[in-house]
Amino acid sequence: MTCMAYFCSAVTETLTKMHELAKRTGSSMTWCCCSAEVVGCCLFVVLMFIFVIVGFPFFICWNIYRAIVLWERRNRNEYRIRIPEDDVHDFRNQQDKSNYLFYTNQLQSQPRGDFIDEILAKWRGDYQLLESHHGFIQWLFPLFERGVNSQAQVLTIEERQLIIDDERAHKRMLEAYKLMLDFYGIILVDENTGEVARSENYRERFHNLNRYGHNYLRISRIIKCLEIFNYSHLAMQFVKFFVTEIVKEGNLPSCYDSCMKFWIPALNQEDAGEMRRYAERLETENAELQGIQVKVGN
């Protein structure tokens, strides 16, 4: 705005001087030449005004947009599961095997938790407890990264292998997955293929999922944990179910962004690529169907 004030002042001063010159000389040619210079100055001022009013905000918005895109892209890349090569960066005592002890039913989850066998037996179907309790999910589905529960421990490579090698512990993780499926209105149809389907009370549970967004972070954690513990086929079908319900059936509109930006990228690279193609195919089919319906309506 300072530049605009300067140019407006310059034009006014030039116009005044040229008017006085024309009066002294009495020359119409001088006035015409002066007028041409004034028009040129005015045009320059107008162009500068357009740049300041339109160009500068556009430049700011463009840079903000680029920053957001880069942030989301970096966030999605960081969201992929990366199994560390060693535990040298683990800040806690290597003798602390809290996750393994929990999954072998030797340690209670904290805070206000329980032994895993008790959780699997008594918490299933208690939707109010599962919705309001924010400390159990980090114990049921441990990751190599810190979560919001400071009393849950980061998973180590050694613990991962111990849980995988322990048949009962590994089976408990499958049961924990079923527990959360029921909470979301889903049932596991086939453990071998990972196929899932709607449960009888899915409408009520879908409504809850659309309403409470903190469950989207839980789902992200579940997918990543399944990938870590060699349950990739479960993670794949879990995400495919959500893509179908969101894109094709339109039942979970609130989950769309989380599914596309976080749940699909949380899969291993091959499955994520396949799932993106599946989502794109469903969206194309929806667009074609809507086009047909519009033509019929006309």
Side-chain angles (χ1 to χ4, degrees), residues 6-69:
Y6 171 78
F7 282 113
C8 289
S9 176
V11 169
T12 302
E13 184 179 351
T14 302
L15 180 62
T16 301
K17 289 182 178 180
M18 288 187 294
H19 181 66
E20 292 177 354
L21 178 62
K23 286 176 62 177
R24 288 198 303 269
T25 60
S27 172
S28 59
M29 181 61 69
T30 302
W31 174 249
C32 290
C33 293
C34 293
S35 298
E37 292 182 9
V38 170
V39 170
C41 290
C42 290
L43 181 60
F44 179 73
V45 171
V46 170
L47 292 175
M48 288 297 298
F49 180 78
I50 293 175
F51 173 77
V52 171
I53 298 301
V54 179
F56 186 70
F58 175 79
F59 175 78
I60 296 296
C61 292
W62 172 249
N63 279 277
I64 293 174
Y65 169 76
R66 286 183 68 249
I68 293 173
V69 169

Side-chain angles (χ1 to χ4, degrees), residues 124 141 171 173-183 186 188 191:
R124 184 183 177 94
F141 303 98
K171 181 71 173 179
M173 183 164 289
L174 176 62
E175 294 303 316
Y177 174 56
K178 292 180 182 178
L179 170 74
M180 295 309 296
L181 284 180
D182 176 71
F183 177 66
I186 309 170
L188 182 60
E191 294 182 6

Side-chain angles (χ1 to χ4, degrees), residues 49 79 130 261 265-266:
F49 180 78
Y79 220 71
L130 293 172
K261 294 179 180 179

Side-chain angles (χ1 to χ4, degrees), residues 2 4 23 29 40 53 61 67 91 98-99 106 135 144 166 183-184 195 221 242 252 257 287 296:
T2 303
M4 290 300 303
K23 286 176 62 177
M29 181 61 69
I53 298 301
C61 292
F91 59 85
S98 298
N99 294 297
Q106 302 178 62
F144 293 119
D166 188 317
F183 177 66
Y184 295 130
E195 179 186 356
R221 172 175 282 270
F242 280 120
L252 296 166
D257 284 346
V296 172

Side-chain angles (χ1 to χ4, degrees), residues 77-194:
N77 289 336
E78 291 176 352
Y79 220 71
R80 292 192 181 281
I81 291 297
R82 293 183 176 88
I83 299 178
E85 296 179 358
D86 53 56
D87 289 327
V88 294
H89 299 296
D90 190 9
F91 59 85
R92 64 187 174 93
N93 191 322
Q94 294 297 305
Q95 300 302 315
D96 182 2
K97 297 181 175 61
S98 298
N99 294 297
Y100 175 68
L101 293 175
F102 172 70
Y103 257 97
T104 52
N105 210 44
Q106 302 178 62
L107 181 68
Q108 287 184 318
S109 62
Q110 297 294 334
R112 298 178 294 105
D114 209 334
F115 293 101
I116 187 167
D117 283 349
E118 293 296 306
I119 292 175
L120 297 177
K122 297 180 179 179
W123 291 30
R124 184 183 177 94
D126 192 340
Y127 299 142
Q128 181 60 38
L129 174 61
L130 293 172
E131 184 65 57
S132 60
H133 197 300
H134 300 290
F136 75 94
I137 198 74
Q138 294 84 8
W139 288 88
L140 286 184
F141 303 98
L143 301 177
F144 293 119
E145 58 198 57
R146 170 64 67 188
V148 296
N149 182 0
S150 61
Q151 298 186 54
Q153 300 299 334
V154 175
L155 181 69
T156 66
I157 297 174
E158 182 182 6
E159 285 181 310
R160 170 183 178 267
Q161 197 58 51
L162 286 171
I163 293 174
I164 290 175
D165 292 341
D166 188 317
E167 186 176 350
R168 292 188 63 185
H170 202 224
K171 181 71 173 179
R172 286 187 178 104
M173 183 164 289
L174 176 62
E175 294 303 316
Y177 174 56
K178 292 180 182 178
L179 170 74
M180 295 309 296
L181 284 180
D182 176 71
F183 177 66
Y184 295 130
I186 309 170
I187 57 173
L188 182 60
V189 177
D190 191 325
E191 294 182 6
N192 296 319
T193 65

